[in-house]
C-alpha cells in the first residue's frame, strides 16, 4: 500500500487533534504535531526509507512509538491507534477544528454542551444564535464562526500546490514507466503554479490509449473510477484529489497542453485571436478550415496566432496577451537567480536547527548569504530574543562568519509589530542589526483602518527593512487580515523599504496581484522561506512560482542581488 508523507502527516495531525479534544497530556499532543511537521517537510518519502530498512528514529522527534506507526502506515495504509481514537468521536468533530478560532477547548464545549458534531450543525447553531451564550464564546465569536464557514464553502475542496505535488509526482513517475507511454505532463492550474489546485489534469502521449487508460484506473492509489474511456479517464485518489487523464497524439500534444493548461479565460482570448485570423484553435491543433497548421508544440500554437511563447504562470488573461503582442512580456525571475534567503529561524527561538546547521545547509544549496531572523521577546512561549540574547547570537554569528567560507550570515530579527504599531524591541537594540523584519502575529481582527495605520507606523520606525507575510493569510484556512495593502505598498515606496513574498506553501503571501502592484510601485520584493528547519529552505521554489505569477523579473527581487549590492540597500532601511 503506497502511503505518501502527506498522508502520514495528516494521520499524526488528526491523532493530535483528537487527543487534544480528549484533553490528553499536552506533551504527547505536541509530539504528534511536531512529528506531523517533520514528516511533511522531510523532502524524501518515508515509504522509501522503510523499504530500504533505514532507521526512522534518527529523524527529529520520531521515537519508537512513532516509528512503529509509520511502518504500520507504510505497510498497511492504516493506523490502528487512529482508528481506535476515531471510534470515540463522531466523524465530523475534527472538521470543527479546521475553523479558525475554534481550538480543542471550544470544540469540546460545542460537542459536550450542544452536541455539535459537524460543520452543518455548527452553522445552524450559529445562525440560531445558540453559540454566543456558551462559556468562553460570545456574539463576536459566533459571527466569526459563520464567516469562517462561508469561506470554507467558497473555496470548496482544493489542495495546496505542495500537497498536490506529492500525488502528482508519484503518479507521473508511474505513468512514465508504462510501456508505450511517451511524454507525461501535468497541465491545468498545477502547471500555472496556482497556490491551490482543484484537480490534476494529466496528458500522456501514446500510440495506443487503451493500455495507458487501463493502467491508470488500476493505479493502486485510486479510490474511485469516475470515467474510463478511450481518450479521457478520471479517478479520485485515496487522498481525495481528482485526476483527469487524457491520451493525445504527438501531433496534437502542444495544442492539448495549451488547452488543458488554461486558464480558461486565457484560452478563450487566444481562440478569439485565432478567429480574427480565420483560424480555429482547439485541443487538437490550429486549423484553417480542415487544414491542420500547427499543434506539435505550444510554441507552434502561439506562433500560429502571431504570439511569442507565454509562460504558463502568466496565462490568466490578466494582460499577458496584449503584452505578448507588443513584445513586452516580462523576463520572469528564476530559482537560479536567487542568491540568498533573508528570513529564517534557529533553535534560539522556535526553529529546529542550530545557527551553524542552517548556515551550512544554505551554503550547500549554493546561497551566498542568509539572514538569521529569530522572533522578538513578545513571543515568550517560543523563546523570543531580547537584547541580551540577540547580542549573544551576534557573537556566535561573528565567529561563524570568520570560520565559514563562501556564505555570509546577516544579523536580523523578526520583530513583532505591536497593536499600536510600535516594535517589540527598543531602537537601540534594532540599530545593532543588519536588517529588521516586521511582522504581525497578534490582533489579527483589528478594523482595516486601524490595521493599516498600525503597519504604516511600524514602517516609519528608524529601523525597518521589510514587512513579512504582509496579509497574514493561511491558504484554505485563514483569510487575510483587513489591510489596505495598496496604500502600504505606496508607503513602502516612499519610505524606501521592502515587502516579503513569504514562500511557505501555506502562505505564499504576497499574491500575484500585489506582486505586480509592488513591481509597478518600484518596491523590491524579497522571496523568503521563513524556514523553521532545514527542509523548509527548499520552499523557495514555491516563492519563485508565485513571483512569476506576479510578473516579477530578476531586477524586481531583492535577494537576486549580490551581497555587495545588498548591503547598502539594507543599510539604507536601517537609517545608515
Ligand atoms: P482547478 O483545477 O480548479 O485548479 O483549475 P484548472 O485551471 O486546472 O481547471 P480545470 O481542471 O477545470 O480545467 C483544466 C483546463 O482545461 C483549464 O485551465 C482550461 C481548460 N478548460 C476547461 N474547460 C474549458 C472550457 O470550457 N473552455 C476552454 N477554452 N478551456 C477549458
Ligand atoms: Ca485542474
Ligand atoms: Ca480538470
Ligand atoms: Zn518568521
Amino acid at each position: 500500500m503506497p502511503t505518501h508523507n502527506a498522508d502520514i502527516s495528516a494521520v499524526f495531525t488528526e491523532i493530535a487533534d483528537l487527543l487534544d479534544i480528549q484533553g490528553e497530556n499536552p506533551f504527547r499532543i505536541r509530539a504528534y504535531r511536531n512529528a506531523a511537521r517533520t514528516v511533511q517537510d522531510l523532502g524524501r518519502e518515508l515509504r522509501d526509507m522503510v523499504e530500504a530498512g533505514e532507521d526512522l528514529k534518527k529523524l527529529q522527534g520520531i521515537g519508537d512509538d512513532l516509528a512503529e506507526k509509520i511502518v504500520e502506515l507504510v505497510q498497511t495504509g492504516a493506523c490502528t491507534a487512529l482508528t481506535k481514537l476515531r471510534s470515540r468521536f463522531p466523524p465530523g468533530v475534527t472538521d470543527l477544528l479546521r475553523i479558525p478560532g475554534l481550538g480543542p477547548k471550544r470544540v469540546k464545549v460545542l460537542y459536550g454542551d450542544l452536541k455539535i458534531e459537524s460543520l452543518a450543525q455548527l452553522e445552524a447553531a450559529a445562525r440560531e444564535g445558540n453559540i454566543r451564550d456558551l462559556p468562553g464564546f460570545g456574539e463576536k465569536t459566533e459571527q466569526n464562526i459563520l464567516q469562517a464557514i462561508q469561506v470554507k464553502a467558497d473555496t470548496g475542496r482544493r489542495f495546496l500546490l505542495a500537497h498536490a505535488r506529492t500525488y502528482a509526482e508519484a503518479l507521473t513517475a508511474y505513468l512514465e514507466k508504462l510501456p508505450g507511454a511517451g511524454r507525461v505532463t501535468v497541465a491545468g492550474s498545477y502547471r500555472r503554479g496556482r497556490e491551490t489546485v482543484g484537480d490534476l489534469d494529466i496528458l500522456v502521449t501514446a500510440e495506443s490509449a487503451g493500455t495507458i487508460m487501463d493502467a491508470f484506473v488500476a493505479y493502486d492509489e485510486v479510490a474511485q473510477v469516475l470515467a474510463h474511456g478511450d481518450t479521457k479517464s478520471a479517478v479520485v485518489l485515496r487522498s481525495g484529489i481528482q485526476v483527469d487523464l487524457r491520451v493525445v497524439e504527438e501531433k496534437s500534444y502542444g495544442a492539448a497542453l495549451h488547452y488543458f493548461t488554461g486558464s480558461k479565460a486565457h484560452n478563450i482570448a487566444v481562440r478569439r485571436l485565432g478567429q480574427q485570423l480565420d483560424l480555429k484553435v482547439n485541443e487538437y491543433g490550429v486549423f484553417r478550415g480542415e487544414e491542420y497548421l500547427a499543434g506539435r508544440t505550444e510554441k507552434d500554437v502561439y506562433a500560429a496566432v502571431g504570439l511569442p511563447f507565454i509562460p504558463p504562470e502568466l496565462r490568466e488573461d490578466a494582460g499577458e496577451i496584449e503584452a505578448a503582442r507588443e513584445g513586452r512580456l516580462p523576463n520572469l525571475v528564476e530559482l537560479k537567480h536567487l542568491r540568498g534567503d533573508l528570513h529564517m529561524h534557529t533553535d534560539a527561538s522556535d526553529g529546529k536547527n542550530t545557527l551553524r546547521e542552517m548556515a551550512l545547509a544554505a551554503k550547500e544549496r549554493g546561497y551566498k548569504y542568509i539572514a538569521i531572523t529569530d522572533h522578538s521577546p513578545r513571543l515568550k512561549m517560543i523563546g523570543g530574543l531580547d537584547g541580551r540574547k540577540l547580542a549573544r547570537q551576534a557573537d556566535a554569528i561573528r565567529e561563524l562568519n570568520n570560520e565559514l567560507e563562501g556564505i555570509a550570515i546577516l544579523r536580523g530579527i523578526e520583530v513583532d509589530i505591536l497593536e499600536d504599531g510600535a516594535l517589540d524591541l527598543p531602537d537601540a537594540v534594532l540599530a545593532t542589526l543588519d536588517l529588521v523584519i516586521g511582522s504581525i502575529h497578534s490582533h489579527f481582527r483589528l478594523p482595516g483602518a486601524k490595521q493599516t495605520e498600525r503597519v504604516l507606523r511600524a514602517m516609519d520606525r528608524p529601523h525597518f527593512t521589510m514587512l513579512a507575510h504582509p496579509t497574514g493569510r493561511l491558504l484554505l484556512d485563514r483569510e487575510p487580515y483587513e489591510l489596505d495593502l495598496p496604500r502600504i505598498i505606496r508607503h513602502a515606496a516612499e519610505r524606501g523599504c521592502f515587502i516579503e513574498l513569504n514562500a511557505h506553501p501555506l502562505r505564499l503571501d504576497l499574491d500575484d496581484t500585489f506582486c505586480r502592484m509592488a513591481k509597478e510601485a518600484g518596491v523590491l520584493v524579497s522571496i523568503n522561506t521563513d524556514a523553521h528547519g532545514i527542509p523548509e529552505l527548499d520552499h523557495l521554489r514555491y516563492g519563485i512560482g508565485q513571483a512569476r505569477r506576479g510578473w516579477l523579473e530578476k531586477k524586481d527581487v531583492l535577494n537576486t542581488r549580490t551581497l555587495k549590492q545588498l548591503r547598502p540597500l539594507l543599510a539604507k532601511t536601517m537609517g545608515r
Side-chain angles (χ1 to χ4, degrees):
M1 270 282 211
T3 302
H4 297 288
N5 291 356
D7 306 313
I8 297 172
S9 174
V11 165
F12 288 165
T13 301
E14 192 177 343
I15 291 179
D17 288 346
L18 292 173
L19 290 177
D20 222 342
I21 300 177
Q22 200 166 273
E24 281 281 337
N25 177 342
F27 289 100
R28 222 181 130 209
I29 297 165
R30 196 169 321 142
Y32 278 106
R33 295 215 190 281
N34 288 341
R37 254 185 99 155
T38 301
V39 168
Q40 184 60 58
D41 294 337
L42 201 55
R44 47 187 297 229
E45 293 276 13
L46 280 166
R47 62 176 188 200
D48 297 338
M49 295 179 68
V50 170
E51 208 165 286
E54 284 183 52
D55 183 12
L56 301 177
K57 282 179 286 180
K58 68 178 192 233
L59 300 173
Q60 194 142 18
I62 305 290
D64 281 319
D65 177 54
L66 286 165
E68 248 172 60
K69 290 199 169 68
I70 292 172
V71 172
E72 186 195 3
L73 272 161
V74 167
Q75 290 175 347
T76 70
C79 173
T80 18
L82 175 60
T83 314
K84 236 189 251 161
L85 254 180
R86 273 183 182 160
S87 68
R88 294 187 204 145
F89 295 95
V93 144
T94 46
D95 292 345
L96 302 181
L97 281 171
R98 302 280 97 81
I99 297 293
L102 286 190
K105 275 210 191 71
R106 281 184 166 161
V107 169
K108 217 156 107 184
V109 174
L110 289 168
Y111 170 51
D113 291 12
L114 291 185
K115 302 274 169 294
I116 289 176
E117 302 179 353
S118 68
L119 285 183
Q121 290 173 359
L122 179 66
E123 183 173 8
R127 284 204 191 291
E128 285 159 26
N130 293 339
I131 304 245
R132 61 186 73 175
D133 298 327
L134 291 174
F137 288 75
E139 208 163 327
K140 191 93 201 291
T141 315
E142 194 175 75
Q143 284 308 313
N144 291 341
I145 288 173
L146 274 177
Q147 207 186 346
I149 292 174
Q150 191 52 47
V151 169
K152 280 244 181 304
D154 290 347
T155 47
R157 183 114 171 89
R158 294 185 70 83
F159 292 77
L160 282 186
L161 181 61
H163 287 174
R165 197 177 136 223
T166 324
Y167 302 105
E169 286 182 351
L171 178 52
T172 47
Y174 167 80
L175 293 170
E176 274 162 358
K177 283 197 210 102
L178 297 177
R183 276 183 281 198
V184 178
T185 317
V186 187
S189 52
Y190 182 89
R191 183 161 178 253
R192 303 198 309 278
R194 283 283 306 269
E195 47 272 74
T196 65
V197 304
D199 68 2
L200 294 170
D201 307 278
I202 300 186
L203 298 181
V204 180
T205 58
E207 293 293 313
S208 135
T211 51
I212 305 285
M213 291 303 184
D214 292 347
F216 173 60
V217 299
Y219 181 53
D220 53 9
E221 287 183 41
V222 168
Q224 194 190 350
V225 178
L226 302 173
H228 182 180
D230 279 341
T231 54
K232 185 191 158 173
S233 295
V235 302
V236 180
L237 301 184
R238 282 193 295 129
S239 56
I241 198 165
Q242 183 179 326
V243 187
D244 297 343
L245 181 98
R246 289 171 184 86
V247 174
V248 300
E249 288 177 65
E250 278 291 343
K251 198 173 132 205
S252 296
Y253 174 72
L257 184 56
H258 179 259
Y259 183 89
F260 292 109
T261 295
S263 65
K264 193 170 161 180
H266 173 88
N267 289 354
I268 290 170
V270 169
R271 200 185 313 141
R272 204 175 302 127
L273 267 186
Q275 280 161 359
Q276 290 165 11
L277 301 168
D278 262 340
L279 301 175
K280 193 170 77 199
V281 183
N282 59 29
E283 62 264 51
Y284 303 104
V286 182
F287 300 85
R288 177 171 288 120
E290 297 297 299
E291 184 198 359
Y292 166 95
L293 297 182
R296 211 164 267 281
T297 69
E298 281 189 317
K299 197 160 176 263
D300 297 345
V301 172
Y302 281 116
V305 295
L307 293 179
F309 178 82
I310 300 178
E313 295 93 335
L314 298 184
R315 300 182 195 170
E316 298 292 348
D317 192 24
E320 74 278 9
I321 306 239
E322 295 77 359
R325 284 175 83 161
E326 294 160 18
R328 44 176 189 83
L329 278 177
N331 198 354
L332 296 179
V333 64
E334 294 171 39
L335 190 55
K336 65 171 195 240
H337 294 152
L338 295 183
R339 290 195 160 99
D341 184 348
L342 294 175
H343 182 169
M344 68 185 66
H345 299 264
T346 71
D347 60 2
S349 65
D350 59 345
K352 286 187 193 155
N353 292 100
T354 63
L355 170 62
R356 171 184 293 271
E357 286 165 350
M358 291 305 274
L360 290 175
K363 186 181 163 178
E364 208 175 281
R365 285 160 174 75
Y367 304 162
K368 297 296 181 222
Y369 53 81
I370 55 170
I372 299 296
T373 55
D374 276 310
H375 289 287
S376 65
R378 199 196 59 83
L379 296 175
K380 266 200 203 67
M381 282 157 18
I382 54 165
L385 272 58
D386 57 15
R388 220 178 36 143
K389 285 191 190 153
L390 257 178
R392 212 178 309 142
Q393 188 178 60
D395 290 339
I397 290 178
R398 200 170 305 119
E399 274 173 37
L400 203 54
N401 271 329
N402 284 334
E403 178 195 326
L404 296 182
E405 298 280 325
I407 182 142
I409 306 155
L410 303 173
R411 287 166 306 139
I413 184 89
E414 178 177 10
V415 66
D416 263 58
I417 300 175
L418 304 179
E419 188 180 0
D420 61 355
L423 298 179
D424 185 33
L425 279 168
D427 286 344
V429 171
L430 297 177
T432 63
L433 300 168
D434 295 316
L435 74 160
V436 170
I437 296 182
S439 299
I440 286 182
H441 288 128
S442 64
H443 301 95
F444 297 137
R445 294 185 181 279
L446 293 186
K450 267 208 167 130
Q451 196 72 288
T452 305
E453 201 51 44
R454 174 188 188 185
V455 174
L456 296 178
R457 281 200 58 198
M459 283 177 149
D460 282 336
R461 302 302 308 154
H463 315 289
F464 191 97
T465 309
M466 71 176 79
L467 177 65
H469 41 74
T471 76
R473 73 170 178 179
L474 294 178
L475 292 165
L476 307 178
D477 191 358
R478 186 171 81 203
E479 286 289 279
Y481 19 82
E482 283 179 39
L483 198 64
D484 185 351
L485 207 51
R487 172 129 183 254
I488 284 168
I489 290 171
R490 285 198 304 276
H491 196 72
E494 288 160 19
R495 158 67 170 88
C497 63
F498 313 117
I499 304 259
E500 173 178 271
L501 191 182
N502 192 293
H504 196 287
L506 261 174
R507 291 189 182 271
L508 292 173
D509 184 10
L510 237 34
D511 73 9
D512 51 352
T513 316
F514 290 126
C515 281
R516 286 181 78 170
M517 206 178 280
K519 173 186 177 144
E520 270 145 39
V523 174
L524 293 184
V525 172
S526 188
I527 305 176
N528 301 332
T529 61
D530 195 0
H532 285 70
I534 289 171
E536 293 177 17
L537 289 173
D538 295 323
H539 287 161
L540 278 182
R541 60 180 292 167
Y542 298 109
I544 282 287
Q546 181 81 341
R548 290 169 64 87
R549 291 178 50 73
W551 291 52
L552 298 189
E553 306 185 55
K554 187 178 171 193
K555 67 172 170 50
D556 304 318
V557 176
L558 178 66
N559 46 329
T560 60
R561 303 296 194 268
T562 64
L563 181 63
K564 215 175 135 200
Q565 294 165 332
L566 179 72
R567 281 198 188 278
L569 291 173
L570 296 180
K572 221 170 146 197
T573 66
M574 297 292 290
R576 292 197 275 270

